[in-house]
Every structure is written in structure tokens, then in C-alpha cells.
Amino acid sequence: MTQLVGSEVVAVSRSRDALVGDQCGSPVSIAAMPKKLCHDLASISHPVASERYQSPLRYPGAKSAIARPLRRLLSAAIMSPCVRQVDLLVEPFAGGASASLRLVSDGTAERILLADIDPLVTDFWQTAAADTDRLVERMWDEWRHHVAPGGATAVARWDYWRNWGPKPGLKPADRRLAMATRCLFLNRTTFSGILHGKAGPIGGRSQASAYTIGCRWNPEAIERRLLYVGYLYESGRLVDVWRKSWRETLSDVPEYYPQLLPSRVVAYLDPPYLEKSATLYRASFDLSGGYGGCNLPSDQRDDLLHFELAEYLRRRIQFRWILSYDNHPLLTTSRWLYRDDRMTPSKTDTEVFGVRRWRISKRLVSTRYTAAGKAGKRAAEELLITTLPASAVPADATLRRLC
């Protein structure tokens, strides 16, 4: 557990071999011992904080467009005496982390904690945070020697990283750096940034398209954003990056940071969509796509994983949360999902863990979605569900009540 001690930040060991891992070889957190929370955080002073994008990654369904409605929700909650400030914003489905990076950059959240079940994603964020300079160097090497030449050279490198696997005996930090490089390369050169085998290189294998494999690789911009991630980690604004499931993440936050008030910790959850998630994400809730599928019986329906998340959020989570989904009718009509308007924890969870009976508010937000495929952007509606103080949740043309 961590303790809040004045303005002290305990330095994380930069030993390249001092990593926490498991049987898959990917570290569970950035370092063996998590940083203590910095109490007196300095103002963010970095040019990328005010740029349009902060994330080095492109991601299917990226939430940069929804950052503004999220900011409105959180800013309104901060005006409530129940919240006052967001000490920690937790993102258990981190992906490209565009929303979290925006919200800590503009001061809406004091700190952020990123987590994801996909080791390719977490290896990237851990490396960007704690081994920044080496990742920047590798990014430039990939650009100069493989991406910039284009054509068959770039496609061959795409095939290399698509099929790459760590060799036995590779040092942990070198393995993590290679995984991070693989993630960045595939993300920047694959259609819509999709990281699994159902998507090919931008421009196709013939590279006959006007949009070639390197069209989304701007090395100067990527370098700035990578350095910014390292800056956030060093300054205590990015607390850690965990390779954990959403359930482990939400359960472990109160244990690692018991000094934080439950109303001042907010989880922002952007789970895989109810439909087509397996075509977009390496770790989807679709059992064929992979999120936790190896631990489930073969006859279990895909949507039960969505029900498990809903049950946890409605009955067991110990701090505030915001959930964003594609607006599917099942979400607000099923009693097993989010039809109810109040959390209903058990008596034991209330008495032992302090789980509250917070009201649940629902709002619709119009967005422009870019991972739809070949037709470019399309209009879409995003459903936001939250336990932020109901009296403070805005309702207007931007954040619309459900009819």
C-alpha cells in the first residue's frame, strides 16, 4: 500500500531488470514498488498539454471526441460538496488513453491511473512512461529505416512486427521495449490502428492507395507525445500503468490508495462495444476476440461479460464511475445491465467495504465515429452512465436525458 506523506515522491527504480512480471512475461506494473502519491503537485508545464492530441496511439473508437462531455460531467461534480476535486481518474480499459490524458492535461483530474488486460498495450504505456528515451529512439529508427522508405520495405517490416515474438532469454526491460515498439509500429501503420490480425497495413499490401503505410506516422508529433507521457509519470500525474483486468483494477485501487476519499476517485470505463468488438480490439468481450475468454466455459454467451461488468458497477465498486458505451437499447432496458437508477449493494458490501447506494444518471452524447470502416466518419450516439452526484449532472442539448 502507498501512504501520502507531504509532497514526497518516492523514486521508482530505473533498473532495466527490476520489473514485476508473471508467466506471460509482461510486467503487472511499471516498477516493483508503486510510487507514493505526490501531495503537492506542480502545475503541468508542457507544450503538449495544450495541443489537440496527447496520446501517441491511434485507437478504434478513440475517446478524444468525448473528452469534452466527460470534462463537463467532472467539472460539474467538482462544484458539488460531495466531490470537490478528482484526486484520481482510473481508466481500466486504457487503450489509447486519449480521454484520461486530456483530462489530466487540462486540470480536470489531479492524477490518472491507466490499466488494460492487453499486455501489448500496457507494455507500450509502461515503456512510454518509464523508458521514454529508448522508446523515442526506437520510434525514429523504425521510421528512418523501414517506414519512410515505404513500399515493399515498409510492408515487410509490418509483416515482421505482426509475426514477432520475444526470444527466450531476452531481458525483461528489453522485452518490454520490443513489445512497446511492436505496439507503436502496428498501431501507426495498420488500418484504423487495429492491433489484431483482422486488419491489414494502411494502403494494402500493394501500397497502391493514395494513403500509404506511413501516412499516420508523424515522427515529430509522436516524439512530443511520448516525451509528454514520460513527463506526466515523472511529475506524479500519471501514477502507474497496470496490466490487469477491469475487475482486478477496480478492486485493487482502494487497497493501493486507501488515503483517497471514495467520492474523489472516479473510474472512467470505455468497455468493448456490445456489437463488433472482436473486429476492433485484441481484448474484446466477444469470446472469440479474447477478453478473459480462456477462463470461461465454451457455452457461455458473449454478452455475459457485459453483465458481469454491470453487476460489479451496480453493486460492488467503492468509488464513483462514468461508463461510456455505444447506445445499444439493451443497455437501458435490461435489469441485468443499467435499467435501474440506483446502485444496490449488498448489506455486507455496504457495512464492510462502504459501498454506497449512489444514484445512476444516464445521458446521450452525439459523436463522430471513425472506426466504422470504409465510409469514413459517421454520426453516432454515445451513452454516458455515471454515479457522479445526480444533482450536478448537466442535462441540455449536449448531454441529453434519455426519452
Side-chain angles (χ1 to χ4, degrees), residues 14 16 30 46 56 123-140 176-177 180-181 184 222-234 238:
R14 288 306 190 105
R16 292 179 177 175
I30 291 178
H46 196 286
D123 281 345
F124 169 80
W125 286 113
Q126 291 176 1
T127 305
D131 203 358
T132 316
D133 292 341
R134 288 211 300 164
L135 184 54
V136 168
E137 182 180 351
R138 289 292 297 271
M139 181 274 296
W140 276 105
R176 184 163 70 175
L177 175 62
T181 306
L184 181 61
I222 296 172
E223 177 180 6
R224 289 198 308 273
R225 295 170 196 172
L226 289 173
L227 292 173
Y228 183 56
V229 174
Y231 166 84
L232 291 176
Y233 180 62
E234 288 294 330
L238 172 56

Side-chain angles (χ1 to χ4, degrees), residues 27-252:
V28 175
S29 56
I30 291 178
M33 295 297 293
K35 277 187 177 181
K36 292 186 177 181
L37 297 182
C38 180
H39 181 59
D40 298 321
L41 292 167
S43 298
I44 292 179
S45 177
H46 196 286
V48 175
S50 58
E51 292 184 1
R52 182 179 181 184
Y53 300 113
Q54 288 77 39
S55 177
L57 296 181
R58 306 162 55 236
Y59 225 73
K63 287 300 178 287
S64 56
I66 209 169
R68 183 174 296 179
L70 292 176
R71 185 190 308 122
R72 286 199 62 206
L73 285 177
L74 292 169
S75 297
I78 289 170
M79 300 300 294
S80 166
C82 300
V83 178
R84 298 293 188 189
Q85 68 180 37
V86 179
D87 288 324
L88 182 64
L89 181 69
V90 182
E91 189 165 4
F93 301 97
S98 55
S100 287
L101 291 172
R102 167 50 58 194
L103 293 168
V104 75
S105 296
D106 64 21
T108 304
E110 294 290 302
R111 309 171 188 84
I112 57 174
L113 171 69
L114 304 180
D116 205 290
I117 192 64
D118 187 348
L120 190 63
V121 173
T122 55
D123 281 345
F124 169 80
W125 286 113
Q126 291 176 1
T127 305
D131 203 358
T132 316
D133 292 341
R134 288 211 300 164
L135 184 54
V136 168
E137 182 180 351
R138 289 292 297 271
M139 181 274 296
W140 276 105
D141 284 345
E142 294 294 321
W143 165 255
R144 292 190 184 103
H145 299 131
H146 305 287
V147 181
T153 299
V155 173
R157 191 62 170 179
W158 188 91
D159 288 332
Y160 168 81
W161 282 118
R162 177 66 78 188
N163 299 314
W164 180 88
K167 296 180 180 179
L170 193 62
K171 291 182 178 180
D174 291 337
R175 180 193 184 281
R176 184 163 70 175
L177 175 62
M179 287 281 283
T181 306
R182 179 181 187 233
C183 179
L184 181 61
F185 187 98
L186 294 176
N187 176 263
R188 282 284 158 183
T189 60
T190 303
F191 174 75
S192 288
I194 297 170
L195 291 174
H196 59 67
K198 297 182 181 179
I202 300 172
R205 304 199 66 83
S206 67
Q207 291 294 286
S209 170
Y211 296 97
T212 58
I213 195 168
C215 69
R216 296 293 184 264
W217 192 305
N218 182 331
E220 291 84 4
I222 296 172
E223 177 180 6
R224 289 198 308 273
R225 295 170 196 172
L226 289 173
L227 292 173
Y228 183 56
V229 174
Y231 166 84
L232 291 176
Y233 180 62
E234 288 294 330
S235 64
R237 296 289 184 170
L238 172 56
V239 174
D240 207 342
V241 179
W242 292 350
R243 185 190 53 74
K244 297 183 180 183
S245 69
W246 61 264
R247 185 185 294 273
E248 291 173 308
T249 300
L250 299 179
S251 298
D252 288 351

